[in-house]
């Protein structure tokens, strides 16, 4: 199914952000009917490259060729005009509007009014040709995540895309929904579409692509043809540039229950809560993972444990004592360390200096302040200590926190919590968007905490991460805990079924 | 209560109410366009004041009222573009940018009025707009004089509402505008220029606010005075919230406010009720705050209102 | 041409000084154009404008007296804006403070020595509470604070006019000015043969207190944190609602204190024109002062000079006195644009190819 005329060529693309080389001399070729996997770790340059292709960024050097002819792409309108469509990791849909209204954005109307009939007809044609179907008047807010992604793909087809870029599309899907996506991708490729599939998940890339391009630190390291002899291990090493050694997880004696949630209902309204009677336990010396497709209540659960969201019902027990009035102060005082999912929105105040952020949760206590008066020296000394301990790369304690890289921000958040020796550490999406070195460091800290007899609750959408770290894996679906599986018995299949809402007993 | 009813059913009450509502309609719909595109335009009071001055001055010297309106329109468009420069191109705080615009525009209005007209003993005035009766329709008993014997700009204001509803909900530009206001990234990745739409919305918004201001100085009254706007612009900000960012409801809010204002004027004049007249003057503002408190909880504001759009952020 | 903003690594402290100066310079240039349009000589007009406020000891003292309410309203707005509580109501809080002072100051039943401290207390509390109202509406009901604080200005103004037209009307002249406060209530004059009154000292003390509060206390830290990122502040354990209300109390109190100073130190009564927009000028002053108490003082002095000098300039050159208002508006706008350079470096680029 391979034609020899490349529909897309990127030649010598270079892009810098300040001192960082995001892309350097990148070449890429895509044919009709091709499914090209773009593999690399977080920070390898894959998304930057695609953003250049889609017109969000301008390359510093290099050219883009469509059907062999060089073209200029200054913004997304140009990209769309050249037949390039992109499905971003975070969807760009208007929840309040209908499917049809989301499709008609940016389109010319008929006689100055919206051409609903024409749009509906085009939608029906896409459904017939590619099997991607959605009712036009449905408000987007009523669609499932999988259906919203389908809408994003339809949007690209609606605008006549011949090249489709999918940026980490499976992050938000259950294993079963992912199979549906792969089926759709094959159907698109069969019709001559060129597909670029960006991922850092090795087994997915092996499954669906016919060619693989690997990037590391802004450079293309290899381009190879996908075949049966290609292994995950090989791909992983090509991706990271070294041998992958899974971290050691020695057996640790599990002790008392440090955190217990009993029938917690929270979020939404008391009649229709987001979390529905959730119960779970974290013991000393264990890492409990929480798996689930994003949007199934993980956020609310994290907020309840963090003390930000008071529950409608149920009980929270920390080290045997029931918490009467759950609040951030109470939860902190009893020994819960918290690293939120949204580092720069919820965890840190990016416009403040690093030293201010390092003491943020405890600035009202000694040694940082006495009787309401701050001790700036103590604050800065503390910040300096933690920077050294955690090898955080920063020019000093006075830098604007927002200038730190993702990995360093995560280290700072972790340092902030671990300095107070928490009983239980709650983390959400700990290694999302950070480089391999920082991710390894973070994982080591977790295992270290576990070895010292503390407990951890790790909420993650990355199943591989959970399998590596955790002793037990709980699965959340639509606000309920579907089941908890010891990691020795956990497989992608049984966890995936729970993630999709199938209880073990009913299966 | 009887007194209130007596005033309401007096001849001319509803006609007055519609006149009072007209500048509010222009300015509120203007603000609506800006906010639906995601920008809070707090320059409204200043734009109305400055445009009232430029409109009045142009009319005074040229003898043509419509030339005055054109001058006011131009003022509003320029002011809107300036607001766009601050909030869209420079991404500055929409709150403070709008306040700066109001302060500057107000200062310019007073300054240039003095430069142009000096401080004569008798304040300059013009022959204001006269009502234009629509033939046939204005002869209908009772409602004829009320609805169809008004200033030309009143008809424009009233027609503005269905036209706006059509533009917002039935045209491609309107859909693009609404998308920019809800999710600028969605619009951007669909090939719509967020900056262009916001500039257009702001300039249109300025133009409409300007006509509202000009109406005050050239139809409702026949001169420009320093107090010709007196806080009406700020009230329109609240009217957009009352109207839940929907053109029909915003119009309803404007009429409701005009009703209360007209009532308050007449009650003052009739001197029957023994309350200081200033209480009536404050009543609209008090009601505005109360209603905002009641409605804000369920506000259906455009999701991207007050958030500057930067491409690199996802 | 594309304007791109690149993040600056460290906040550069010298920018705090040069940016406001740049803004003022730009303002003077732009407004010079307006002076020319008014048909006057720019240099001559500016000389009169600035010199008249500083030409004699008496003039300098008068300028300081004029700057006093501006320092306080500037502080009020600066504190509020730090928490992103958009207090546009300093004008109304000022009026309430003045009214509270006159109310206390005309009470015959109170002992003479207690009047001054009570007036100050009453003014601070009145102004503070008037700001707490919109703060509560913001935290509980999510009502936009810009509109509410603004509308409350009009409400207070009409209430004041109702009082001046009613129980406080001067029975002799029929003008809307209130009865005078008792002689014991008048603020003591600090410098003989001038109008330099206690209010000036209060403003100086307030400046130091606010500076100390913002830099050295946990409350000041909390105010900044809540203003920069309320979600992160809440996650870290700050009670965001309580802090915003406290900020409002302080902010309104400062504005109320400004009103007390004018009523008890200068006019000894309340009249319709007791405020010439001090609350709104406070916004410009606060922004020019970079929301820092140490910047508010020079900023307030600058505007005191401009406002006083504008009268003299108008008399001698014929340039309308409203130039002062235009200078205010232009200064705010140029300052806003200058702010771009603090957090970001502005990069202008000709559109590159795709």
């Amino acid at each position: 199914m391979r034609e020899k005329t490349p529909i897309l060529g990127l030649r010598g693309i270079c892009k810098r952000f300040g001192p960082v080389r995001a892309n350097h001399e990148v070449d890429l070729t895509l044919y009709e009917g091709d499914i090209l996997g773009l593999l690399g770790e977080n920070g390898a340059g894959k998304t930057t490259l695609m953003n250049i292709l889609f017109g969000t960024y301008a390359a510093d050097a290099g050219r883009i060729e469509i059907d062999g002819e060089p073209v200029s792409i200054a913004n997304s309108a140009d990209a769309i005009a050249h037949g390039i469509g992109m499905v971003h990791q975070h969807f760009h849909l208007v929840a309040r509007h209908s499917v049809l209204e989301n499709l008609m954005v940016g389109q010319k109307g008929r006689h100055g009014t919206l051409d609903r009939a024409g749009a509906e007809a085009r939608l029906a044609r896409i459904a017939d040709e590619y099997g991607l179907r959605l009712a036009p008047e449905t408000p987007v807010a009523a669609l499932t995540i999988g259906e919203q992604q389908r809408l994003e793909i339809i949007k690209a087809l609606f605008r006549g895309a011949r090249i489709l870029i999918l940026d980490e599309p499976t992050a938000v899907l259950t294993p079963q929904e992912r199979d549906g996506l792969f089926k759709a991708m094959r159907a698109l490729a069969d019709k001559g579409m060129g597909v670029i599939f960006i991922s850092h998940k090795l087994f997915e890339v092996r499954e669906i692509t016919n060619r693989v391009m690997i990037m590391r630190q802004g450079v293309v390291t290899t381009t190879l043809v996908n075949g049966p002899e290609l292994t995950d291990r090989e791909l992983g090493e090509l991706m990271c540039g070294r041998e992958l050694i899974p971290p050691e997880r020695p057996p640790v004696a599990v002790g008392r229950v440090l955190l217990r949630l009993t029938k917690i209902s929270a979020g939404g309204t008391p009649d229709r809560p987001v979390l529905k009677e959730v119960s779970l336990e974290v013991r000393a010396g264990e890492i409990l993972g929480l798996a689930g497709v994003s949007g199934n209540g993980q956020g609310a659960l994290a907020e309840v444990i963090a003390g930000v969201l008071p529950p409608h019902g149920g009980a929270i027990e920390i080290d045997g004592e029931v918490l009467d009035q759950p609040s951030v102060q109470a939860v902190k005082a009893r020994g819960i360390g918290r690293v939120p999912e949204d580092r720069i929105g919820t965890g840190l105040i990016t416009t403040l200096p690093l030293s201010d952020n390092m003491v943020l949760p405890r600035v009202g206590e000694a040694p940082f302040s006495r009787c309401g008066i701050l001790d700036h020296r103590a604050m800065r000394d503390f910040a300096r200590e933690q920077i050294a301990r955690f090898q955080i790369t920063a020019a000093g304690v006075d830098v604007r926190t927002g200038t730190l890289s993702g990995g360093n921000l995560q280290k700072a958040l972790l340092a902030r919590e671990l300095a107070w020796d928490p009983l239980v550490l709650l983390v959400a999406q700990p290694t999302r968007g950070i480089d391999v070195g920082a991710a390894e460091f973070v994982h080591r800290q977790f295992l270290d905490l576990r070895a010292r007899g503390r407990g951890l609750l790790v909420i993650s959408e990355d199943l591989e991460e959970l399998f590596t770290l955790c002793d037990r894996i709980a699965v959340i679906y639509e606000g309920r805990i579907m089941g908890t599986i010891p990691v020795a018995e956990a497989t992608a299949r049984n966890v995936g079924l729970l993630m999709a809402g199938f209880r073990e007993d009913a299966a | 209560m009887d007194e209130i009813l007596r005033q309401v059913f007096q001849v001319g009450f509803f006609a007055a109410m519609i006149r009072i509502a007209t500048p509010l309609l222009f300015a509120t719909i203007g603000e609506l366009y800006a906010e639906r595109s995601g920008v809070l335009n707090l320059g409204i009071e200043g734009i109305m004041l400055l445009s009232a001055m430029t409109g009045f001055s142009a009319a005074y010297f040229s003898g043509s009222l419509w030339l005055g309106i054109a001058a006011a329109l131009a003022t509003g468009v320029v002011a809107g573009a300036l607001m766009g420069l601050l909030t869209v191109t420079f991404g500055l705080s929409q709150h403070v940018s709008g306040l700066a615009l109001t302060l500057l525009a107000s200062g310019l209005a007073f300054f240039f009025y003095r430069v142009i007209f000096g401080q004569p003993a008798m304040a300059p005035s013009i022959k204001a707009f006269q009502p234009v009766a629509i033939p046939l329709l204005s002869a209908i008993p009772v409602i004829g004089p009320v609805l169809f014997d008004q200033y030309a700009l009143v008809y424009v204001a009233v027609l503005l509402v269905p036209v706006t509803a059509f533009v917002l909900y039935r045209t491609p530009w309107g859909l693009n505008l609404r998308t920019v206001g809800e999710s600028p990234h969605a619009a951007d990745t669909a090939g719509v220029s967020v900056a262009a739409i916001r500039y257009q919305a702001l300039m249109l918004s300025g133009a409409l606010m300007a006509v509202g201001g000009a109406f005050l100085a050239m139809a409702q009254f026949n001169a420009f005075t320093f107090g010709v706007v007196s806080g009406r612009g700020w009230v329109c900000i609240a009217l957009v919230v009352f109207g839940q960012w929907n053109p029909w409801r915003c119009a309803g809010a404007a009429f409701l406010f005009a009703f209360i204002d007209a009532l308050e004027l007449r009650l003052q004049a009739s001197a029957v009720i023994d309350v200081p007249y200033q209480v009536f003057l404050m009543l609209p503002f008090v009601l505005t705050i109360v209603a905002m408190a009641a409605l804000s909880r369920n506000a259906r504001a455009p999701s991207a209102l007050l958030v500057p759009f930067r491409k690199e952020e996802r | 041409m594309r304007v791109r903003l690149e993040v600056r690594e460290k906040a550069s402290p010298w920018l705090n000084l040069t940016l406001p100066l740049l803004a003022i310079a730009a303002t003077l240039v732009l407004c010079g154009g307006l002076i020319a349009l008014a048909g006057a000589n720019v240099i001559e007009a500016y000389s009169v404008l600035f010199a008249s406020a500083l030409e004699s000891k008496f003039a300098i003292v008068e300028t300081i007296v004029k700057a006093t309410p501006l320092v306080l309203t500037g502080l009020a707005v600066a504190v509020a804006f730090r928490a992103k509580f958009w207090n546009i109501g300093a004008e109304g809080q000022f009026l309430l403070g003045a009214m509270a002072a006159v109310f206390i100051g005309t009470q015959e039943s109170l002992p003479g020595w207690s009047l001054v401290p009570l007036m100050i207390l009453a003014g601070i509390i009145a102004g503070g509470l008037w700001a707490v109202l919109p703060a509560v509406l913001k935290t509980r009901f999510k009502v936009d604070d810009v509109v509410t604080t603004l509308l409350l200005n009009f409400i207070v103004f009409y209430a004041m006019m109702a009082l001046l037209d009613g129980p406080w009307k001067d029975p002799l002249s029929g003008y809307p000015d209130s009865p005078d406060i008792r002689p014991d209530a008048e603020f003591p004059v600090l410098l003989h043969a001038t109008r330099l009154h206690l209010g000036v000292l209060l403003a100086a003390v307030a400046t130091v207190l606010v500076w100390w509060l913002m830099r050295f206390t946990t409350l000041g830290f909390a105010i900044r944190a809540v203003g920069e990122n309320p979600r992160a502040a809440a996650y870290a354990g700050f009670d965001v609602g309580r802090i915003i209300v406290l900020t409002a109390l302080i902010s309104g109190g400062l504005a109320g204190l400004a009103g007390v100073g004018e009523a008890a130190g200068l006019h000894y009564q309340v009249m319709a024109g007791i405020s010439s927009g001090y609350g709104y000028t406070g916004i410009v002053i606060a922004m020019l002062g970079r929301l820092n108490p140490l910047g508010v003082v020079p900023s307030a002095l600058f505007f005191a000079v401009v406002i006083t000098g504008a009268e003299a300039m108008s008399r001698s050159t014929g340039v309308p006195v409203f130039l002062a208002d235009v200078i205010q508006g232009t200064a705010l706008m140029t300052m806003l644009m200058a702010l771009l350079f603090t957090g970001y470096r502005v990069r202008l680029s000709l559109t590159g190819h795709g």
Side-chain angles (χ1 to χ4, degrees), chain B residues 165-303:
Chain B
F166 182 80
V167 166
L168 278 181
Y169 298 115
R170 300 290 192 104
T171 65
W173 186 81
L175 177 61
N176 292 347
L177 180 87
R178 286 184 294 129
T179 303
V180 165
E182 295 287 341
S183 169
H185 286 289
D188 183 54
T189 52
V192 173
S193 165
V194 172
I197 293 274
R198 282 187 168 165
Y199 263 102
Q200 289 158 11
L202 283 169
M203 294 197 290
L204 177 58
S205 140
L208 289 171
M209 292 167 182
V211 177
F215 181 87
L216 286 167
M218 294 164 61
Q220 193 153 327
F221 306 108
N222 65 350
F224 173 83
T225 58
F226 289 168
V228 76
V229 180
S230 290
R232 281 183 188 75
W234 303 119
V235 171
C236 290
I237 303 277
L239 291 178
V240 173
V241 178
F242 280 29
Q244 297 285 282
W245 291 272
N246 170 291
W248 298 108
R249 298 211 187 152
C250 286
F255 280 113
L256 179 62
F257 192 93
F259 178 85
I260 295 174
D261 211 11
L263 188 60
E264 164 259 300
L265 279 171
R266 282 183 155 59
L267 285 177
Q268 257 185 58
S270 76
V272 166
I273 299 190
D274 188 29
V275 175
Y277 73 93
Q278 289 93 353
V279 172
F280 288 108
L281 287 176
M282 9 166 146
L283 199 60
F285 299 108
V286 174
L287 283 174
T288 300
I289 294 180
V290 169
M292 280 179 82
L295 284 175
S296 257
R297 260 185 192 281
N298 304 317
R300 293 192 61 246
S303 308

Side-chain angles (χ1 to χ4, degrees), chain B residues 4-145:
Chain B
I4 293 177
L5 286 175
R6 204 164 72 78
Q7 293 294 349
V8 166
F9 289 109
Q10 215 176 63
V11 170
F13 177 83
F14 282 104
M17 180 184 109
I18 293 181
R19 270 201 311 279
I20 292 175
T22 298
L24 299 176
L25 275 174
F26 276 116
T28 305
I29 297 283
E31 180 70 28
L32 179 69
Y33 277 112
E35 294 198 17
R36 287 305 296 244
S37 84
V39 182
L40 179 70
N41 187 357
L42 288 181
I44 183 172
E45 180 89 358
I47 294 176
M48 287 175 81
L49 195 60
L50 184 60
S51 313
M53 199 276 305
T54 55
F56 173 80
S57 309
Y60 184 87
F61 288 110
S62 70
S64 157
L65 289 170
W66 289 106
L67 199 62
I69 297 288
L73 273 171
T75 310
V77 169
V78 169
L82 179 56
M83 187 69 182
L85 183 69
L86 294 172
T87 55
V88 178
T89 306
F90 292 149
L92 299 166
S93 155
Q94 290 180 7
H95 283 121
V96 191
S97 299
L99 285 173
L101 183 58
T102 282
L103 272 179
L104 180 61
S106 306
L108 286 174
F110 301 149
F111 180 85
F112 277 116
Y113 182 80
R114 212 28 91 69
V115 167
I116 296 173
F117 292 103
Q119 271 180 294
M122 258 246 305
S125 64
I126 53 172
K127 184 162 186 296
F129 277 103
Q130 299 299 317
V132 174
I134 299 185
L136 287 180
L137 291 173
S138 60
I140 304 174
V142 180
I143 61 171

